[in-house]
Amino acid sequence: MCGRAAQPSSVAAVCDRRFSIVLLALVVSAFSAPTATAGERSVTADEANGTYRDVEGKSEIKILAFGHGKLKVQLALVYEYRSGGGPMANLGDASSKATIENDIAVFVPEEAGDCKITMAFLPNGKLKVEQQGEECGFGHNVRADGTFWKISNRKPKFDDA
């Protein structure tokens, strides 16, 4: 019915409008198709297991997956600074179990106050870490925030084991 052979202009206008609506629906659905973003991609134990370090190579996170949404996590964090006596460092250590859902792990250090640490597993061995709260039991100015890169795929050995 919407062919172009000798149609009155009102039929052609209706056909053009239908074509535009169908085209718009296709474009909108193509751009709103779901994509995997942080929180939606399931992380395997092999992806999670390992040792991660920050860009300076000083702070370290060890992770071991137990299955059923449980991880063992150990943080060894460093905040370096200069004092009148030379280079100094404050340390922050924590170890506990964490829960993971899809690609987001939540870690609450044992003996922590209002502290919660969220870890997002990103592609290519990256781990984005965000600390909420200040009472994590770390040294002065020591925070878990930052991006860490996987340096080892081996199951880590923990200091308390």
Side-chain angles (χ1 to χ4, degrees), residues 30-146:
F31 284 106
S32 63
T35 57
T37 59
E40 296 176 359
R41 180 179 70 87
S42 291
V43 175
T44 66
D46 286 338
E47 288 177 286
N49 288 342
T51 302
Y52 300 79
R53 285 219 179 109
D54 67 352
V55 70
E56 289 104 20
K58 294 175 176 48
S59 294
E60 185 174 271
I61 300 176
K62 294 178 181 178
I63 299 175
L64 179 63
F66 290 130
H68 304 291
K70 301 290 181 202
L71 303 173
K72 181 174 183 174
V73 177
Q74 185 173 58
L75 306 177
L77 307 172
V78 177
Y79 172 77
E80 289 185 338
Y81 63 97
R82 292 204 169 278
S83 73
M88 302 288 289
N90 291 336
L91 306 177
D93 295 309
S95 182
S96 188
K97 293 204 171 33
T99 58
I100 184 169
E101 186 172 324
N102 296 325
D103 63 351
I104 304 292
V106 177
F107 172 74
V108 177
E110 299 170 357
E111 303 179 27
D114 70 341
C115 181
K116 179 170 98 171
I117 297 170
T118 304
M119 299 175 285
F121 290 87
L122 303 174
N124 301 319
K126 286 173 66 174
L127 185 67
K128 183 167 176 28
V129 181
E130 293 180 1
Q131 175 181 320
Q132 298 162 337
E134 299 298 322
E135 298 300 320
C136 294
F138 304 149
H140 183 67
N141 286 332
V142 177
R143 293 193 53 89
D145 297 306

Side-chain angles (χ1 to χ4, degrees), residues 1-4 6-19:
M1 165 142 195
C2 286
R4 289 285 178 202
Q7 294 179 346
S9 63
S10 63
V11 173
V14 168
C15 289
D16 286 342
R17 218 173 295 131
R18 284 184 187 160
F19 176 76

Side-chain angles (χ1 to χ4, degrees), residues 19-33:
F19 176 76
S20 297
I21 290 170
V22 169
L23 181 62
L24 179 63
L26 289 172
V27 168
V28 167
S29 65
F31 284 106
S32 63

